[in-house]
């Protein structure tokens, strides 16, 4: 006869409260990164118009492509745009409002108008 050994109880996954980190991500981070990227892509287009500045446009485009590759491989928080948000933008902003509060407010306003 073979005896089975009892399986240990799984350890619970860390919760945001137990780790001291907020739940999810700050939704303003990707927005800031998208804004930075949009401005830099506009600069690439403007630099690409004239022959003497096409090399600078290509270099800037390569930097943006490398940034996308880093973001895809390691996560958006490891890109230079993530660093700019963490060190420059977020310290100047108030804490984000809960998305549940906003969803309730939107659903109330749409139900009031019906």
């Amino acid at each position: 006869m073979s005896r089975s050994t009892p399986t240990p109880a799984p350890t619970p996954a860390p919760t945001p409260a137990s780790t001291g980190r907020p739940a999810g991500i700050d939704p303003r981070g990707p927005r800031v990164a998208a804004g930075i990227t949009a401005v830099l892509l506009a600069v690439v287009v403007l630099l690409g118009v004239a022959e003497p500045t096409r090399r600078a446009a290509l270099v800037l485009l390569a930097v943006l492509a490398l940034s996308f590759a880093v973001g895809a491989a390691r996560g958006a928080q490891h890109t230079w745009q993530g660093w700019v948000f963490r060190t420059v933008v977020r310290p100047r902003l108030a804490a984000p409002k809960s998305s549940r509060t906003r969803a309730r407010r939107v659903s109330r306003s749409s139900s009031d108008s019906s």
Side-chain angles (χ1 to χ4, degrees):
M1 277 191 180
S2 101
R3 288 189 166 172
S4 63
T5 58
T7 348
T11 57
T15 61
S18 67
T19 60
R21 294 182 186 169
I25 64 168
D26 187 341
R28 299 170 296 185
R31 291 176 188 157
V32 169
I36 292 170
T37 302
V39 168
L40 291 178
L41 285 174
V43 170
V44 166
V45 170
L46 293 175
L47 289 175
V49 173
E51 183 65 39
T53 58
R54 284 196 181 139
R55 184 171 300 230
L58 186 60
V59 169
L60 184 56
L61 189 60
V63 167
L64 286 170
L66 183 62
S67 177
F68 282 135
V70 169
R74 298 192 61 210
Q77 68 273 18
H78 295 289
T79 62
W80 63 271
Q81 293 104 324
W83 178 83
V84 167
F85 178 73
R86 275 190 315 276
T87 59
V88 178
V89 178
R90 190 188 316 160
R92 291 171 171 75
L93 299 174
K97 293 183 180 180
S98 168
S99 60
R100 289 183 179 157
T101 305
R102 184 176 182 278
R104 280 190 221 124
R105 201 171 45 235
V106 169
S107 67
R108 283 184 193 154
S109 65
S110 63
S111 65
D112 291 344
S113 63
S114 351

